[in-house]
């Protein structure tokens, strides 16, 4: 197993650590979850960089990389649903889009068709990661000792900022999914007919 693939596997394992830490009481656990999520996000960039730099791309790595991304994002969002910070329906929309497109990509790949990622998908991914970082920061601040002494504007702004980030993420998720199917409609129709 190459180092880039090991980093991808590490990202999956870190998701479970982040999930457990988010459900553990106390600001120290939440801060550790933020650190774990930051490291996991860094491996997303690093494994691709190293695979290209060292020419160590492999079928296993190519398969695992997008799956690891989905596990990290969805696992962290699910923890926030459990904590009551994110509406379950929003995560369901994200889950449905990610699962459907991953399934279509794997189906197309089995027929030797590559459905490349587009800029809408990249914007969606960035919005998901930013939203998760905002949620993590808000949770650390909320549980930090003495946070009740923060100005009332900070407490009032936090839910509004989270809600804006969530709506932007959901809208970009739906838009990028719609654009994906529209862009690849001909290829998908032909592959289904074969």
């Amino acid at each position: 197993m190459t180092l880039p693939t090991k980093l991808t596997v590490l990202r999956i394992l870190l998701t479970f650590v982040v999930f457990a830490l988010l459900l553990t009481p106390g600001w120290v656990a939440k801060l550790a979850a933020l650190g774990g999520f930051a490291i996991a996000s860094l491996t997303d960039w690093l494994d691709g960089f190293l695979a290209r730099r060292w020419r160590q791309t492999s079928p296993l790595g190519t398969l695992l990389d997008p799956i690891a991304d989905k596990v990290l994002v969805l696992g962290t969002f699910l923890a926030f649903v459990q904590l009551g910070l994110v509406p379950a329906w929003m995560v369901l929309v994200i889950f449905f889009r990610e699962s459907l497109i991953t399934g279509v990509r794997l189906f197309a790949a089995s027929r030797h068709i590559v459905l490349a990622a587009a800029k809408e998908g990249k914007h969606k991914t960035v919005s998901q990661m930013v939203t998760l970082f905002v949620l993590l920061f808000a949770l650390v601040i909320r549980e930090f000792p003495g946070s009740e002494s923060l100005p009332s504007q900070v407490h009032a702004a936090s839910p509004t900022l989270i809600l804006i980030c969530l709506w932007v993420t959901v809208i970009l998720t739906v838009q990028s999914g719609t654009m994906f199917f529209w862009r690849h409609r001909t290829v998908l129709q032909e592959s289904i007919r074969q």
Side-chain angles (χ1 to χ4, degrees), residues 144-174:
F144 195 79
S147 64
E148 60 278 352
S149 63
L150 289 170
S152 60
Q153 293 89 341
V154 173
H155 292 289
S158 181
T160 305
L161 178 61
I162 288 170
L163 194 59
I164 290 169
C165 288
L166 284 169
W167 272 107
V168 168
T169 295
V170 168
I171 290 167
L172 289 178
T173 297
V174 171

Side-chain angles (χ1 to χ4, degrees), residues 17-77:
V17 173
V18 169
F19 188 91
L21 287 168
L22 281 171
L23 300 183
T24 302
W27 72 272
V28 174
K30 303 307 187 288
L31 188 61
L34 174 60
F37 185 80
I39 292 168
S41 300
L42 181 63
T43 67
D44 184 21
W45 169 80
L46 190 58
D47 63 4
F49 174 78
L50 293 177
R52 287 186 300 273
R53 191 85 184 263
W54 296 344
R55 296 183 183 168
Q56 289 187 345
T57 56
S58 66
L60 178 61
T62 304
L63 175 69
L64 281 181
D65 186 57
I67 292 171
D69 295 344
K70 308 308 184 241
V71 168
L72 176 63
V73 167
L74 291 170
T76 309
F77 269 124

Side-chain angles (χ1 to χ4, degrees), residues 8 10-19 22 33 36-45 64-82 86-88 90-99 102 121-136 165-166 168-170 172-173 176:
T8 303
L10 175 63
R11 186 155 71 256
I12 295 171
L13 297 175
L14 280 171
T15 301
F16 294 101
V17 173
V18 169
F19 188 91
L22 281 171
F37 185 80
I39 292 168
S41 300
L42 181 63
T43 67
D44 184 21
W45 169 80
L64 281 181
D65 186 57
I67 292 171
D69 295 344
K70 308 308 184 241
V71 168
L72 176 63
V73 167
L74 291 170
T76 309
F77 269 124
L78 283 173
F80 284 118
V81 170
Q82 186 69 25
V86 175
M90 287 185 161
V91 177
L92 193 60
V93 168
I94 295 168
F95 173 79
F96 182 72
R97 185 263 185 212
E98 300 297 350
S99 301
T102 300
K122 291 173 183 173
H123 294 160
K124 176 268 308 176
T125 302
V126 169
S127 76
Q128 289 176 349
M129 298 307 255
V130 167
T131 298
L132 288 169
F133 271 111
V134 167
L135 281 160
L136 285 159
C165 288
L166 284 169
V168 168
T169 295
V170 168
L172 289 178
T173 297
S176 65

